[in-house]
Every structure is written in C-alpha cells, then in structure tokens.
Amino acid sequence: MPNLLQPQIQDANAPRSPVDSDGTGRFLALARELSEVGKGFYERNWVLGTSGNFSAAISKDPIRLAITATGLDKGRLLPEQFLEIDESTNVLRGDGKPSAETLLHIEIVRERNAGAVLHTHSVWSTVLSGLYAAKGGISIEGYEMLKGLSGIQTHEHREWLPIIPNSQYMAPLSRVVSDTLKQYPAAHGFLLQEHGLYTWGADIDEARRHIEILEFLMETLVRRMNVGHAI
Amino acid sequence: MPNLLQPQIQDANAPRSPVDSDGTGRFLALARELSEVGKGFYERNWVLGTSGNFSAAISKDPIRLAITATGLDKGRLLPEQFLEIDESTNVLRGDGKPSAETLLHIEIVRERNAGAVLHTHSVWSTVLSGLYAAKGGISIEGYEMLKGLSGIQTHEHREWLPIIPNSQYMAPLSRVVSDTLKQYPAAHGFLLQEHGLYTWGADIDEARRHIEILEFLMETLVRRMNVGHAI
Amino acid sequence: MPNLLQPQIQDANAPRSPVDSDGTGRFLALARELSEVGKGFYERNWVLGTSGNFSAAISKDPIRLAITATGLDKGRLLPEQFLEIDESTNVLRGDGKPSAETLLHIEIVRERNAGAVLHTHSVWSTVLSGLYAAKGGISIEGYEMLKGLSGIQTHEHREWLPIIPNSQYMAPLSRVVSDTLKQYPAAHGFLLQEHGLYTWGADIDEARRHIEILEFLMETLVRRMNVGHAI
Amino acid sequence: MPNLLQPQIQDANAPRSPVDSDGTGRFLALARELSEVGKGFYERNWVLGTSGNFSAAISKDPIRLAITATGLDKGRLLPEQFLEIDESTNVLRGDGKPSAETLLHIEIVRERNAGAVLHTHSVWSTVLSGLYAAKGGISIEGYEMLKGLSGIQTHEHREWLPIIPNSQYMAPLSRVVSDTLKQYPAAHGFLLQEHGLYTWGADIDEARRHIEILEFLMETLVRRMNVGHAI
C-alpha cells in the first residue's frame, strides 16, 4: 500500500490513483507525516501549549488541505484527528473545528503554490518579532544556513522576513498576508508579531526544512544580540 | 477497562461507576497520567532534583486528590507511588508522606474548582520570581500564547502572575495563597518567590497546557530582557 | 536475584550476602545504575566528550569502589566496562585504567562517608567556576531548590560551593580536596576551576539528586547575572 | 559478520579481509555508524535543515570515503543513502550527489591522515565565527575540556581555532583549507565563517568526541561573554 501511494505524496497535482479514488490514502499519509513533524517540533519547544498548526495539500485544483484541528496537543497528534477542508474552510472529512488560522494556510497555498504550510510558536520568533515589529521585518544576510532555503545558492543572499501585526480577525489578517506575500515574492516565510513563524514548501519535507532553518537563524540573531559589541 | 473508565476521568464531579465503586480505577488512571506528565516535565528540566508536585481530583465533594508523595524523582514516578488524600491531608491510600505543599493543592482545588494542580521549578520561574519579587507579580501582555489560557480569546489580554514570598510554614502560606486567589480571581497561576510556578485546570490536560504556556512566557520574558534595548 | 541483592545496594556497610560472596552482584548492580545515570547526564550535555566520572561504594571498610574507566563515552557506558578498585586505586576487577581523578573519589568517600560520587562538566559550572575563581567559591542562598540537598530544611540556607584551582597532579590535588572538605564540613559539593562539579551522596540516587540541584542552581545564577539590574 | 568486520573498522590502512573483498561490509559499517552520529547531532540542534556532512575513510591509500549525499536530513540518514567516493570526488557506489563540500573532506583526510571528518552547523559556532572573523580565529585556553582533544595532556593547553572566510567556490576554498591546516599543524578543527565547524579524528569515535568538545567550548565562550564583567 505505501508503495502505491508514494508517488501521490510527492505531487499534489498528480491525478488520483485508481486505488485511492476518494483520496483517503493520501489524506492519511499526509496526516501521518504531519503528526511526526508535530512530535519533533514539540520536543524542540516550538509548539508548546497546543500552539502551532500544520497543513498539507491533498490537491491544489481544487484546493483540499489536510489540516490540524484546533486545540490539540501538537506533540501527540493522531492521523485520525486531522481534518480535510476545501478553500472555503468547509470541513469535508473528520471531526472538530479547523485551526482559527486556516484562512492563512489557504492564502499561502494559493499565493505560493505550496504543498505544505507549517506554523510554529518558538521563544525566539516571539522575542524577535516583538523587537523588530516597528521595522516591519528582519533582514538576515551572510549565513550559510540561508542556502537551505528553496532556490538559494549562496550565503550572500539577503532574506527579508516580514513581520505582520498580530490580529484575531482572520478575514482581514488573511488579506494582509496575501498582500505581504505579493509585496515580497522572494520571501520564504513571515512572522506574526509576538505570535510566531509561518513558512511553507513544495512538500512537507521542504516546509519542515524551512522551519528548521528560519528557527535556527532567529535563535542565532537573538544570541548574537545578547553578546552585543563585546569584541 | 480503559473504555469504561474514560468518562470518569473527564469529570471529577460524576458519580462513581458501579464497576469502580472504591475509585481504584480512577485513582490509577489519574496517577498514570500524572506520571507521564512528570516524565515530560523532567525532560524539559522543570522538575529536577525531586522538585515539583502534582495532583488531580478523584472527587471534589468531598475533596479527594491523587497526589505525589514527597521526595520522589518526578521523571520516574510509578502510578502505585501516588497517594490518595482527603481535604485534611489524611492519607487514604498508598504508602509515604504527601508532598509538603499538599495544603496549597487543596486550597487551589477549593478556590478554583480545579480538577488538577501542577507545580514546576524551572530556571526561568526561579530567575523571574526573584527579579520581580518586590513588585508582587509580573504583568504579561500582548503575546499570542496567552490565548491558550482557559477563557482567554485574544493576545491583547493582560495576565497578572502574582508572586508570593516563599515560606516553609504551610498553614500560613496556604492562607496567603487562598487570599491571593481571591484577590486575583482572573489569575491562571502564581509564583512562589525563587521557588516555582503553580497552575491548575479543569483536568490534567488543561493544567499541563497552562504549565507549558506560562513556562514559555517566562522564558520569553527573560530572553527579551537579556537583549535589552539593543534595537 | 535482583530482590536478593536490593538490600545490599541500599547499604554499603552491610555484610555480604552468602549468595554474592565475591560482590559480583553488587558490583554489576551499581555499574548498571551508574550507566543509566551517565545516559541521562549525557542527554543534558553534562558529560560531553567522554568527560565526567562516576563511582559507587561496593564496601566502605575496606573501601572498594565501582568506578568508570578513563576515556569512555559517558552516554554509552556498559556495566562490564566499570572497574573495581581499592583505596590505593589498584584495579581488582575489569579491564582498563581507572579515571585520572580516582584519588578524588576515594578522598570524598573517606571524608564524607559517601556511597556514591558523581562528577559532571557542564557549561554552567565551567562558566561560573571561571567567573568566581578569585573569590574561592560561590555563595548560593534563598532558593527553594536548596532544600533538596541532604539535611537542608529551608530555602534560607546558605550553601558555600568552594572552587579549587584545577590541576593535573592528582596526589597534591587530592590533598587540597581533602583539606577543603575538612574546612567546609557542611558543603555538599565543590567545583574544580573551569573543569566541573563534584558532589556525592549516601547512595547513587542522592548523589544524582545533588548533581541535578547544583547544576540547576548554577544555571540559575548565570541566567540571573545575564539579566543584570534590568528591573 | 560484525565480529569479522570489527578489525577493519578500527584501521583504514589494514588490508581488506578476504570476506569483504569489495569493501561493502566496511562501507556499510561506517555508514551505519555515521547515521547514528547524525541522529545524535540532530537532537542537539547541530545539523538542522539538512546542514552538516560526515565522512569516514574506507581506505586511505588510495583514498576512498563513505560520505553523506547532499540535501538529506541528517537526523534520519539511512546507511544505503551514503556514497563511496574516490579522491577526485567520483562516486564509486550509491545514488546521489556527494556533499558540495566533499573536497574539504578529502583535503582534511590527506593533510591530517584522518579516519573520519565531521562538520556541524551549530548556533554557537555561527555566532562565534561571525564575532571573531576579523581576528582570523579564536584562542581557547585553560579549560579542562581541552584535554579531550587528541594528544592534549593538560588544561593549560592553548587551542587556536582558525576561522576561514566562507565561500561557495569549493576548489579555491579547499586550497585555503589545505594552507590553513599546514599553517596550524596543531589545530584540531577550524571554522568557516557564519557557517560551522570542521573537525576530524583517527576514527569516527574520536571525530565525534572532538565535535562534542569544540561545540561545548564554543557554547561556553559565548555564555561567558554574555555575563561580561559582572563580578
């Protein structure tokens, strides 16, 4: 079974296999993979207190996402707790309410043709997005780790990580997110102020890699600021 | 057996199931869950050196708690090491002495109608409760993570985390705790100075979520103070 | 077998059980326990790079210790890699060279009647023992965590943690250790400058608890110094 | 089988055993060991975001290395994902492209007669190599942990850790690495600026020990700088 499903997992644009006509196999495979991602992030303190949310595209045309339900411990997700939603956030499969921030996931999938969207709440992103809020973003430059971001070939790259004011009103916030993604077409992620990081990728592995890289870089920036001008 | 017991675990006010007339099943289920909580907290360095203590309500009227015995390694608790106590701290089940701070647990269950009470000793709470002791508490505001606290709907919430002077005299300390809980009816937790955090919840899951959130926020506050006014 | 041996493990002064006339059972039980301690300490970054060493008393009169051999990864110790030594550091059992610091273990067992001696190399103790070297020690006072040290009843306790200059000459160093232990009879541990922490206990569990408490307190002190006088 | 292969693993200069005439056994044994190293480093946040690379010598004359393929998650390496390369970086075994930095591994094996080369990207090395770049290196002195470096007998040792400007041009960079190794024949490792640490050893265990020691020392240096002149 896994062998048959494997090609589908690689490409959300592929036609459905006849052995998985209702997409259940793909849904469960993605949910299983996102559960594992959650476990790893929880161990790193990136999704404490039921924070964070994750999604992956079952298909992109029309948009169908496997997404975390709201209020669950992200370190102990079960595949059957995930929801399938359409682009109007209707729940097509599963029990529970999708994450409050579901609209942001849909916006990102649409704007970036993403196969997966991951959102973490680390201490580092909370500190940094508060410190730099007035500047509207953070410039990250000169680090080898930047090369792990999709399409980047050199550490001389300058990444602009936009900071968006936090809000509980998801419709207007999703429009700000959409505008921000259009304004910075090269950005690999963005921060919500004192809230956390959003990033994405062609598939779950790439999105996870982007989380690791951006979290690493934010920790590095804060720790370097701590040292100040000591040398 | 687990299926039969599950509904009881959800509600400490429910009448006892005929299959668990003496509460043994519920006691063991809560003790097992608290053991797992302890393991996770120990891995995060929140209950080193046998510090910390945990309880959950077997019933609330009358108050019966499953609670940690004193002096045990919180990362290696066995369910059979827990004690059952009544509201006068008499041991009804199990061998050993209940935690020195048992009276505080009873006070919290009474004042907040809590189903579980958790107490951690992290480095962050130790540092922060020392730094802010003279102010009597810490104000935490503007963080998305606050929304994970029970009943909070927005990051614009301002949480006051009271700091109570540490003491080895449990009877007077429990009266100060009771007064503090009455004075700050919206507080989700409190600190004992250079000692640690107390929080609670309707059940163990909620109390654990509150620990994760408040520990996250305290770490965030200290790390932000480290950076100072660098920007 | 474990049941028969258990009482011996509790008390290094007990006569040998007839079923363990040559002490092999006790030796292996202690070695197994110390291996587990090493695994936990390695995960916390307290014994990286084969640093650290551990011992426990098989008997105290005459002194016989189960002790780590030099140069091994402390996160992957096997019970059969431990050595048995006498008070002149002769190897009575096992292959390999005992830790260079074996003499310090013997001195501590003798001066404190300890059942176990543990030595860690954490970042926190390295930083702190360098910063305070000129003062000859660190005073730790007011922390609830101090109550976890053997015999301490209140956070108002003041613990003096002596700092001894580091040396590669073990015979003179062991005399300085002996003098220091005599000079500060109430001390629960000491630091070697930019080297690490020694502590001990009546048995392995107590020594491990002392490590956790002193490492916690040193991390707390450094983190509090980082914040400075910000409030 | 493992027993037969064990002697080969210890010595890359040994003639091939008749039972492993094409080196498959040795290749797989090294790949398996490097996979385990990767898992441990990933848990410590030293190789996030597919960063880092590892190699071990199958033979030294001619040079044949088992080396990581580019772009893989270093926490989930499978032995069959490793490549065998010769000293011109031709792939002799396995599918995939060898790490971009393969030339540096070959240079190090040649210059230092190393049996294993390990490269990590920690936050600490990134911060420190940026702060000290203008000085061309970092001097580390007085720490007991230095004694874990091969051939060092005392904490009074002064280790010079050269910092090489980062570059995406591997041919010229490998010549700078070669020159640096010749210029500092006593160095146990070097940093690429805002990129990470390279170290090596006679075998994988020694190289891993060197990583742990140098990462420990860099974390210690940054944390001590954080405290400043507080005492």
Side-chain angles (χ1 to χ4, degrees), chain A residues 34-197:
Chain A
L34 290 172
S35 306
E36 284 304 304
V37 166
K39 198 162 171 287
F41 285 4
Y42 180 74
E43 285 165 7
R44 287 185 152 75
N45 293 330
W46 292 345
V47 289
L48 289 181
T50 79
S51 71
N53 39 69
F54 319 135
S55 72
I58 301 165
S59 72
K60 289 194 193 160
D61 188 14
I63 288 177
R64 295 281 183 280
L65 302 184
I67 193 164
T68 39
T70 194
L72 298 178
D73 180 338
K74 298 310 180 296
R76 302 194 288 186
L77 292 171
L78 301 173
E80 55 268 32
Q81 293 175 319
F82 278 73
L83 309 175
E84 179 174 340
I85 57 160
D86 67 16
E87 65 186 314
S88 309
T89 76
N90 296 309
V91 176
L92 307 181
R93 186 196 302 262
D95 299 319
K97 233 179 70 163
S99 160
E101 294 160 27
T102 295
L103 272 178
L104 308 193
H105 286 248
I106 292 168
E107 215 53 67
I108 292 167
V109 169
R110 196 181 279 139
E111 285 292 336
R112 290 296 203 253
N113 191 32
V117 179
L118 300 176
H119 170 42
T120 48
H121 282 225
S122 72
V123 166
W124 307 107
S125 69
T126 303
V127 168
L128 212 57
S129 64
L131 284 167
Y132 281 88
K135 296 195 183 296
I138 304 165
S139 174
I140 312 179
E141 191 173 2
Y143 294 104
E144 177 72 10
M145 194 58 97
L146 289 162
K147 270 180 64 190
L149 297 174
S150 170
I152 304 307
Q153 306 296 335
T154 169
H155 63 283
E156 288 169 359
H157 171 71
R158 178 175 177 277
E159 180 79 17
W160 178 252
L161 194 60
I163 302 173
I164 295 172
N166 197 20
S167 167
Q168 302 306 327
Y169 304 97
M170 288 302 136
L173 182 59
S174 73
R175 286 191 294 273
V176 178
V177 164
S178 172
D179 289 350
T180 302
L181 293 173
K182 286 188 177 83
Q183 190 181 352
Y184 302 105
H188 291 83
F190 62 85
L191 296 172
L192 296 180
Q193 186 187 339
E194 287 166 336
H195 177 157
L197 169 69

Side-chain angles (χ1 to χ4, degrees), chain C residues 149-193:
Chain C
L149 296 175
S150 170
I152 304 306
Q153 307 295 336
T154 169
H155 62 283
E156 289 169 0
H157 170 71
R158 178 174 176 277
E159 179 79 17
W160 179 253
L161 194 59
I163 302 174
I164 295 173
N166 197 20
S167 168
Q168 303 305 328
Y169 302 97
M170 288 302 136
L173 183 58
S174 73
R175 284 191 293 272
V176 178
V177 165
S178 171
D179 290 348
T180 302
L181 293 173
K182 286 188 176 85
Q183 188 181 355
Y184 302 105
H188 291 81
F190 62 85
L191 296 172
L192 296 180
Q193 186 186 341

Side-chain angles (χ1 to χ4, degrees), chain A residues 33 36 44 46 141-145 147-148 153-156 205 208-209 212-213 215-216 219-221 223-224 226-228 230-231, chain D residues 42-45 47-51 73 76 100-101 121-124 126-127 130-132 135 166-168 194-195 222-223 225-226:
Chain A
E33 213 180 324
E36 284 304 304
R44 287 185 152 75
W46 292 345
E141 191 173 2
Y143 294 104
E144 177 72 10
M145 194 58 97
K147 270 180 64 190
Q153 306 296 335
T154 169
H155 63 283
E156 288 169 359
D205 271 351
R208 186 168 65 86
R209 196 180 77 221
E212 290 184 12
I213 288 168
E215 289 290 357
F216 173 94
E219 178 178 343
T220 297
L221 289 175
R223 291 204 189 275
R224 180 147 175 179
N226 284 347
V227 177
I231 301 170
Chain D
Y42 181 74
E43 285 166 8
R44 286 185 152 75
N45 293 328
V47 289
L48 289 180
T50 78
S51 70
D73 181 337
R76 302 193 288 185
E101 295 160 25
H121 282 225
S122 73
V123 166
W124 307 107
T126 303
V127 167
L131 283 167
Y132 282 88
K135 296 197 183 296
N166 197 19
S167 168
Q168 302 305 327
E194 286 166 337
H195 177 154
V222 176
R223 291 206 188 273
M225 288 165 71
N226 284 345

